[in-house]
Amino acid sequence: MRKCAIAAASVACIAGSSFAGVIGPDVIVGSLPNLQRFGNVGQITGYSIATTSCNIGDQILNWNPNTNIHPVISQSISRVGPAGDNGTKIEMLGISWLKHGFCALQGTVCGSCQPAGGGCPPRLGIGCSDPYSSGLNGQQSNLGLPADVNAHTGFYSMPFTGVNQSGNQIFKRIQVDANLLDPGQNPGATYWGAGQYVQSEDSSFGNQDNNASHRQILVSSGSVNSGYNLLFTGSTVREEPVIFAWETVDNSVTIIPVDVPETATAGDNNGRVYFAYDVSQNNDGTWHYEYAMNNVSSDNRIRGFRIPGLDIADMMNIEFTDVDYHSGSPISNTDWNTNASTSDDFEIRGPSFGSNPNANSLWWGRLYRIGFDSPNAPEMVTAQLRTFKSNELLDVSVMAPQSANVCLGDCDGSGTVDFNDLVAMLFEFGSADDGACNADLTGRVDFNDLVAALFLFGPCP
Ligand SMILES: *[C@@H]1O[C@H](CO)[C@@H](O)[C@H](O)[C@H]1NC(C)=O
Ligand SMILES: *[C@@H]1O[C@H](CO)[C@@H](O)[C@H](O)[C@H]1NC(C)=O
Ligand SMILES: *[C@@H]1O[C@H](CO)[C@@H](O)[C@H](O)[C@H]1NC(C)=O
Ligand SMILES: *[C@@H]1O[C@H](CO)[C@@H](O)[C@H](O)[C@H]1NC(C)=O
Ligand SMILES: *[C@@H]1O[C@H](CO)[C@@H](O)[C@H](O)[C@H]1NC(C)=O
């Protein structure tokens, strides 16, 4: 699988990989057959996505509607579109409450099936699949509050919050602002639907990291005032969360798996986040930086992103896009902000768990992005994700603007721009990723950089 190639060597990324020698029950999304559009409230449209689950493990998976041993299903819609002059970004546009499963048919979408009973029993047999139509996944009385479910263990209490509650056409469903789907306002955008299953047995056998899949969506017809019809196209990309759609559209995107520990001291693996970045150059020679994070099977969660050594004064057009909670969810929608940044370290973050347990943090199934421009050329740096519950910093190697104290023209890092740097520049001539040698901050090292270096001659500022 593609994601294995980019994962750290120790990452077990094959579906059904062993856990203490046992596979156990392992539920994945085998296919995303269709979408349904409900009505609008203002210009917000309600949608649901059909999901067919498969048990690719070697034990029966329980699906008991009366206990908390049944899957909950999250659905979302995302967009990949232009960013800066020459780059791309991914944003999640809307996410549903969680559909609570009640029984499982025993189908063969993922291959041969050993049925765990006749009809629709409260369990899914080995190898078997179970279809949930878009109607069922949009059925309001069976949609529960996302914040009730522990992202890592799959635990929740019964009866779940929201059971038997119905509302208007968009209540608890995926909610998308029609302006974000309007082809006229979104040239070059592609759309992606995703579904994910969470169930506690799957989790207790360590199989929780492969339960999301995504598929491309076409905007077929409609208007901003009436809402748009959406259709799936292409095939379901199994066991990959939607952040991988960004890489599908733009092959310069880099995706990194980050394992989130339970606590600072224990270090137990409490799930995974995918972190992705992309850098492109704007037409005026500045750079556009894009970051996204997705796929938290982590209850610890993420509440911030930090680039040590980067002065916020070297950044322009800072943007943050989360995906709003709705229908009475207690989780705050207040955006992360950059107030904690200093001239030495950039940070965008939300409040701590200590100050507000319902503060805006990255729950499982969701995707957040951060974008900005900078005159500073890119280099590999150690950036950090800040965890919500344990408030610790997790290192992640990404491309980011060279720190403010990079001395342009000082190729050899001597602290002075001098004759040796001109010589070093000649050796770097024509190279694209040139750090401090890129004295004029544009394109490749060329004659203009030599001229710029002459103007910078002398001690670094
Ligand atoms: C929800 O509705 C169903 C069907 O009417 C009923 O059996 C169940 O007891 C209700 N649950 C709660 C918690 O009210
Ligand atoms: C989460 O991470 C795992 C482990 O790398 C991966 O296999 C899986 O596809 C990811 N997605 C989700 C949401 O499960
Ligand atoms: C950005 O894209 C435009 C065309 O869309 C191209 O002309 C330009 O050279 C690109 N700039 C950079 C710096 O890549
Ligand atoms: C997959 O399911 C488990 C529960 O079985 C859940 O804890 C986990 O968050 C899910 N995985 C991801 C990547 O969200
Ligand atoms: C923090 O930043 C936000 C904008 O991102 C601003 O609205 C808010 O007032 C700031 N808060 C403080 C305490 O400075």
Side-chain angles (χ1 to χ4, degrees), residues 150-154 196-200 202-203 208 211 295-297 364:
N150 181 307
H152 187 58
T153 62
Q196 181 170 350
Y197 279 62
V198 166
Q199 195 263 21
S200 60
D202 169 287
S203 195
Q208 68 265 57
N211 42 17
N295 179 19
V296 187
S297 55
W364 65 272

Side-chain angles (χ1 to χ4, degrees), residues 126-313:
I126 299 161
C128 303
S129 63
D130 172 50
Y132 272 52
S133 66
S134 52
L136 280 181
N137 281 347
Q139 186 188 42
Q140 293 167 331
S141 58
N142 251 329
L143 289 168
L145 185 70
D148 278 356
V149 178
N150 181 307
H152 187 58
T153 62
F155 179 83
Y156 49 87
S157 301
M158 288 291 283
F160 58 87
T161 307
V163 62
N164 294 348
Q165 281 173 14
S166 301
N168 62 23
Q169 292 293 307
I170 64 174
F171 186 60
K172 299 188 201 169
R173 295 174 174 144
I174 307 170
Q175 298 185 357
V176 182
D177 182 335
N179 290 287
L180 304 176
L181 299 169
D182 175 13
Q185 295 181 61
N186 298 281
T190 56
Y191 295 90
W192 304 84
Q196 181 170 350
Y197 279 62
V198 166
Q199 195 263 21
S200 60
E201 295 166 325
D202 169 287
S203 195
S204 63
F205 281 89
N207 293 329
Q208 68 265 57
D209 284 340
N210 61 358
N211 42 17
S213 300
H214 68 275
R215 187 174 178 190
Q216 190 170 358
I217 290 172
L218 293 180
V219 177
S220 72
S221 61
S223 71
V224 168
N225 289 325
S226 65
Y228 287 92
N229 288 314
L230 304 178
L231 294 173
F232 275 127
T233 183
S235 50
T236 303
V237 184
R238 274 185 196 169
E239 297 178 58
E240 286 193 356
V242 72
I243 200 167
F244 284 88
W246 191 16
E247 189 192 45
T248 303
V249 174
D250 181 347
N251 64 13
S252 67
V253 169
T254 304
I255 303 181
I256 307 158
V258 179
D259 285 319
V260 182
E262 182 87 53
T263 64
T265 45
D268 298 343
N269 181 348
N270 179 331
R272 171 150 306 152
V273 182
Y274 278 112
F275 193 81
Y277 63 88
D278 192 44
V279 182
S280 54
Q281 196 164 21
N282 295 320
N283 294 329
D284 65 359
T286 63
W287 300 82
H288 185 77
Y289 293 86
E290 269 300 317
Y291 304 90
M293 49 186 97
N294 181 213
N295 179 19
V296 187
S297 55
S298 166
D299 195 53
N300 191 344
R301 308 196 286 276
I302 299 298
R303 71 156 169 123
F305 175 57
R306 180 180 146 94
I307 306 176
L310 179 63
D311 186 343
I312 194 168

Side-chain angles (χ1 to χ4, degrees), residues 60 102-107 113-125 128 130:
I60 287 170
F102 54 93
C103 70
L105 297 173
Q106 314 288 313
C113 158
Q114 300 169 38
C120 194
R123 58 194 91 85
L124 184 60
C128 303
D130 172 50

